[in-house]
Amino acid sequence: MSNLTNTSTTGSNRSANSDGSAVFPAATRGPRLSGMNWLIWRQHRAGFWTLLVITAISVAWLIQQRTDLTNQLTTHGWPDSSPDKWLPAVHPQRFQLVSYGFGFIPIVLGVFLGAPLLAGDLETGTAKLVASQSVTPSRWLATKLGISALVVIACTTALSIAFGRWWGPVKYEPTVLGWSEGTAFDNTGPVPVALALFTVVSGAAIGMLLRRTLISMVVTFAFAVVVQVVWHFQRLNLGHVVTITTHKGIGPTTSPQLPEAALEIDTSLISGSGQTYGWGTCAHEASQKLCTQKFDLVGWSVDYLPISQMSSMQWFGSSIVFILTAAVAVFIFIRGRKRVV
């Protein structure tokens, strides 16, 4: 009776060719995670899904802000009219608040995603269970870091593109966001991706060394803050300073005209022999005429960074950070192969 039922059920799911042979339908199964990939995703799914959902909401909000901004600017004659006509329609405070918030993303990801990534398994003993199976430590580490890196890259890239498009129409106005400041420079292009990925991988390395989740999070927080401070002081060193000089005297109307949105680094007085003096050299002289004759001053020398270098500066700095990230990842694999538990 069971054979008959089984045969009938099987027959209902197949058809026959003209020669009488049975044809079974192809299995319809979409792409799904399996094996170690499924295990790692399930283990950290709460953090991954939280990050993805927050990113999706943030990107949707930024797109709406971009649409509202362009509509307001267009009604005030942008981009054909002068900035003094359409600039009042911009809300710099909103840009600044959002950019400040985005600046904490690398720190938050390093602390709450990177630090517990390996420390949690080492502290609870899950790593010992993995080591006792057929999975090699290298594969376990590669899957852990690989899936986490993909999620971080996807989220930070989406946020970077969305924020860049929102800021794009007013990027030449330093009163909104200065392009050389962290509020704009660190939240667009490859920079947020590089910084976030570096703090996450470094947090994982810290967790592997300390083997305790809480202390690893504390140390990672301090490390991420130091990274942000170092990056802040080295940001302008990524560019090539351009110098422009004039030889039309040192009057206030003879200073050189810089390109739009250029960042002025230093201003000096220049003599006929090419020697430079501080712009306040004549402040304590009896008269400007006597000062000009005394130092043989003929014009101005101004050092600046043009906004056209922003993209190259971002990629140059991000490349350095990516190399450091790769070095930390190599350290994790070398250390993990020797002592994963």
Side-chain angles (χ1 to χ4, degrees):
M1 182 66 177
S2 59
N3 292 337
L4 179 60
T5 304
N6 191 25
T7 304
S8 301
T9 304
T10 305
S12 61
N13 293 327
R14 64 184 179 182
S15 58
N17 287 326
S18 57
D19 57 358
S21 60
V23 178
F24 293 89
T28 57
R29 183 180 181 182
R32 297 177 62 185
L33 294 177
S34 60
M36 182 59 62
N37 294 329
W38 175 86
L39 178 62
I40 299 302
W41 178 270
R42 182 173 178 82
Q43 184 182 11
H44 301 282
R45 65 187 184 277
F48 291 156
W49 278 117
T50 300
L51 184 58
L52 291 171
V53 170
I54 293 177
T55 300
I57 295 174
S58 300
V59 169
W61 185 82
L62 289 172
I63 293 174
Q64 180 185 3
Q65 294 302 307
R66 154 80 181 194
T67 303
D68 294 342
L69 177 64
T70 53
N71 290 337
Q72 293 178 12
L73 294 178
T74 303
T75 57
H76 289 77
W78 176 87
D80 299 325
S81 61
S82 58
D84 60 334
K85 293 183 178 180
W86 53 259
L87 196 56
V90 183
H91 301 284
Q93 300 83 358
R94 187 174 302 174
F95 279 96
Q96 293 169 1
L97 288 175
V98 174
S99 60
Y100 285 144
F102 281 5
F104 286 99
I105 290 179
I107 299 177
V108 172
L109 291 179
V111 171
F112 293 100
L113 179 61
L117 192 64
L118 301 180
D121 289 351
L122 293 171
E123 184 176 13
T124 59
T126 306
K128 293 183 179 181
L129 177 62
V130 173
S132 65
Q133 306 301 316
S134 59
V135 179
T136 62
S138 297
R139 183 184 174 189
W140 176 65
L141 291 172
T143 308
K144 278 263 188 180
L145 294 177
I147 294 180
S148 301
L150 287 176
V151 174
V152 170
I153 292 173
C155 293
T156 51
T157 300
L159 291 173
S160 173
I161 294 174
F163 184 84
R165 284 183 55 81
W166 180 33
W167 175 61
V170 294
K171 67 183 299 183
Y172 287 92
E173 289 300 323
T175 56
V176 180
L177 288 180
W179 69 267
S180 61
E181 300 174 0
T183 50
F185 192 93
D186 297 351
N187 292 323
T188 57
V191 175
V193 182
L195 292 178
L197 195 61
F198 179 59
T199 54
V200 168
V201 175
S202 299
I206 293 172
M208 184 179 67
L209 294 176
L210 299 181
R211 307 171 72 87
R212 293 293 184 270
T213 302
L214 184 58
I215 187 63
S216 298
M217 294 173 71
V218 174
V219 174
T220 300
F221 174 79
F223 173 81
V225 171
V226 172
V227 169
Q228 293 285 351
V229 172
V230 173
W231 177 264
H232 170 76
F233 285 105
Q234 296 299 321
R235 186 187 303 115
L236 296 183
N237 295 330
L238 300 172
H240 175 68
V241 177
V242 179
T243 302
I244 183 173
T245 59
T246 63
H247 296 79
K248 301 178 181 180
I250 61 172
T253 60
T254 60
S255 58
Q257 184 69 28
L258 300 183
E260 185 179 9
L263 174 66
E264 183 177 320
I265 303 296
D266 189 24
T267 300
S268 305
L269 296 169
I270 187 171
S271 67
S273 61
Q275 185 176 356
T276 57
Y277 299 89
W279 61 269
T281 300
C282 297
H284 301 288
E285 297 293 333
S287 67
Q288 182 172 308
K289 183 177 180 179
L290 292 176
C291 180
T292 301
Q293 295 174 352
K294 178 180 179 181
F295 295 100
D296 188 25
L297 301 177
V298 296
W300 297 92
S301 176
V302 180
D303 298 334
Y304 70 94
L305 286 173
I307 192 175
S308 58
Q309 291 191 20
M310 180 180 180
S311 179
S312 59
M313 290 170 62
Q314 288 179 317
W315 279 105
F316 178 54
S318 298
S319 299
I320 297 175
V321 178
F322 283 135
I323 293 173
L324 293 176
T325 303
V328 176
V330 170
F331 166 76
I332 291 176
F333 279 100
I334 294 176
R335 171 81 177 186
R337 293 181 61 182
K338 295 180 179 179
R339 187 169 181 264
V340 72
V341 296

